[in-house]
Amino acid sequence: MEKDRKLEHIQMAFDSQTGFPEQDRRFIYEPLLAAHPEKDSHPFSFLGKQMRAPLWVSSMTGGTGVAKNINQNLAQACREFGLGMGLGSCRKILFDKTYWEDFDVRDLIGTDQPFWANLGVAQVEQLLAKKEEQAIVDLIGNLKADGLIVHVNPLQEWFQPEGDHLTQPPLETIQQLLSRIQVPLIVKEVGQGMGRESLRELLKLPIEAIEFAAYGGTNFSKLEMMREDEALQTLHQPFAFVGQTAEQMLKDVNSLVDESEVACRSLIISGGVKNYLDGYYLVSKSKLPAVFGMASAVLKHATGDYKDLKIYIENLLSAYRMAEAYLRVNSAYEGQ
């Protein structure tokens, strides 16, 4: 009843006060300039495929058996909502098909959306040293993927008890891979982001995108630390607080784009993106075509029934479209 609703509003008004410390100064709210957005988004081209929303399902999991349900849920959501998807590390299926079904989801996602395989830079270095780069080509072909994400993780490999030793800078490995096989590449970090000079070098390369995987989200170096004994955890803990945030990385990329021509023309902004407003802000600020990723938030809803994931993404994208309609990025905002 209307009377009950009004009464409820009065009772809730005291609990819904906002204050200046809570104000999100990244945006200017313009309530007069748009109608409520329609449910359907407008398709746009990204990485040579069509997407209907700027949400990237960042590389997560695979090769564990239980990952099959997760990846199938994620692929189904990508098809339904027009999203892009990067697989978790495909190392386990390079030469052994035991866990192949965990990763084999192209038919679920469909051919229109971006779908990318994933290997660590250490595995790429080893394959190139053995002249086994054809295994990468075969992996991409058999998965019917659009290309390869190379995740760069020197700290994670160092902290990992069973980690691989890098014998050369990751940049050299990526350059060698580009010279030896004709495969589209994305390069990403794994939770600590990259500094300005690493970004400068990557932007020079003819890769399809850089994924930030910045500081502030899931940090795989810290994850590996947690597997160590208590003494080593204490010793290595300072490294957990090293890295660049997505906002810091975007500022660097934008200034580098202004300085010179770049070969890499796309960004996947992930790491520390906690909600749709973070994503909207960063995508709006990017001078390169960009989408955003929220790995841990999406993963939490992908572990069970597909319905839970569907409702979550449906609501997230609806809120994102509201942000597009009514919020303008505040050019005077300089961050914290």
Side-chain angles (χ1 to χ4, degrees):
M1 292 174 58
E2 180 68 13
K3 182 178 178 180
D4 292 337
R5 185 175 69 87
K6 292 295 185 182
L7 180 60
E8 185 180 47
H9 280 186
I10 293 170
Q11 293 170 337
M12 295 175 66
F14 297 107
D15 297 323
S16 60
Q17 297 294 307
T18 57
F20 291 112
E22 300 167 325
Q23 181 187 23
D24 193 338
R25 295 183 292 111
R26 296 176 297 178
F27 304 106
I28 297 171
Y29 171 49
E30 299 287 3
L32 302 182
L33 307 182
H36 280 152
E38 299 297 324
K39 183 176 181 180
D40 294 330
S41 300
H42 298 293
F44 62 95
S45 179
F46 191 75
L47 301 178
K49 292 293 180 78
Q50 289 293 304
M51 293 179 64
R52 300 196 307 276
L55 177 62
W56 184 268
V57 176
S58 297
S59 311
M60 296 187 199
T61 187
T64 65
V66 297
K68 178 180 177 181
N69 179 63
I70 293 172
N71 281 338
Q72 287 182 347
N73 282 342
L74 294 171
Q76 188 175 342
C78 287
R79 183 179 193 134
E80 182 167 354
F81 295 101
L83 315 178
M85 179 176 178
L87 287 169
S89 174
C90 301
R91 178 180 184 175
K92 284 195 173 183
I93 58 170
L94 264 173
F95 302 108
D96 182 348
K97 297 298 189 285
T98 302
Y99 293 107
W100 183 261
E101 289 187 355
D102 285 11
F103 302 86
D104 188 21
V105 295
R106 170 55 99 179
D107 290 343
L108 283 174
I109 194 173
T111 57
D112 294 336
Q113 273 71 249
F115 173 63
W116 287 67
N118 181 341
L119 286 173
V121 71
Q123 287 77 61
V124 174
E125 179 189 288
Q126 292 163 10
L127 290 168
L128 292 176
K130 297 174 184 176
K131 297 187 176 4
E132 294 180 343
E133 58 266 27
Q134 185 60 39
I136 299 174
V137 178
D138 293 342
L139 173 73
I140 295 167
N142 291 333
L143 286 171
K144 295 176 277 190
D146 298 311
L148 179 72
I149 298 169
V150 178
H151 63 266
V152 177
N153 58 337
L155 286 181
Q156 182 191 12
E157 294 287 6
W158 187 56
F159 289 128
Q160 192 176 51
E162 61 274 50
D164 293 302
H165 179 72
L166 299 180
T167 63
Q168 64 183 20
L171 180 64
E172 293 181 15
T173 299
I174 295 164
Q175 290 169 330
Q176 290 170 9
L177 183 62
L178 285 166
S179 70
R180 290 184 36 189
I181 60 176
Q182 300 300 308
V183 167
L185 295 184
I186 295 171
V187 178
K188 66 169 289 183
E189 224 274 328
V190 296
Q192 291 179 283
M194 309 178 203
R196 183 181 179 87
E197 296 310 311
S198 292
L199 290 169
R200 185 195 301 277
E201 295 304 317
L202 283 181
L203 286 167
K204 294 177 184 177
L205 298 180
I207 60 178
E208 300 304 310
I210 299 170
E211 181 174 357
F212 286 1
Y215 179 87
T218 301
N219 184 318
F220 281 87
S221 297
K222 186 174 182 180
L223 185 150
E224 296 299 343
M225 285 183 211
M226 294 166 66
R227 299 175 59 213
E228 297 175 338
D229 63 49
E230 189 174 344
L232 279 176
Q233 284 188 45
T234 302
L235 176 66
H236 292 152
Q237 188 179 26
F239 262 120
F241 304 103
V242 172
Q244 278 68 46
T245 68
E247 192 164 357
Q248 290 167 340
M249 291 179 69
L250 184 61
K251 184 177 181 180
D252 283 337
V253 169
N254 282 344
S255 67
L256 290 166
V257 168
D258 285 341
E259 288 178 10
S260 60
E261 285 293 316
V262 297
C264 173
R265 301 301 304 174
S266 303
L267 300 177
I268 300 169
I269 302 174
S270 61
V273 181
K274 303 298 185 186
N275 56 56
Y276 50 85
L277 286 187
D278 291 345
Y280 174 60
Y281 174 73
L282 293 165
V283 167
S284 298
K285 293 276 285 185
S286 178
K287 293 183 178 180
L288 294 178
V291 297
F292 71 99
M294 293 170 52
S296 59
V298 173
L299 180 61
K300 183 171 67 173
H301 295 274
T303 56
D305 185 76
Y306 174 69
K307 183 179 178 181
D308 181 38
L309 178 63
K310 175 179 177 175
I311 291 171
Y312 172 73
I313 292 180
E314 202 166 43
N315 289 331
L316 186 154
L317 296 181
S318 176
Y320 188 92
R321 288 190 288 270
M322 284 291 289
E324 287 182 312
Y326 293 107
L327 301 183
R328 305 292 180 266
V329 170
N330 181 4
S331 60
Y333 177 73
E334 295 295 336
Q336 300 300 325

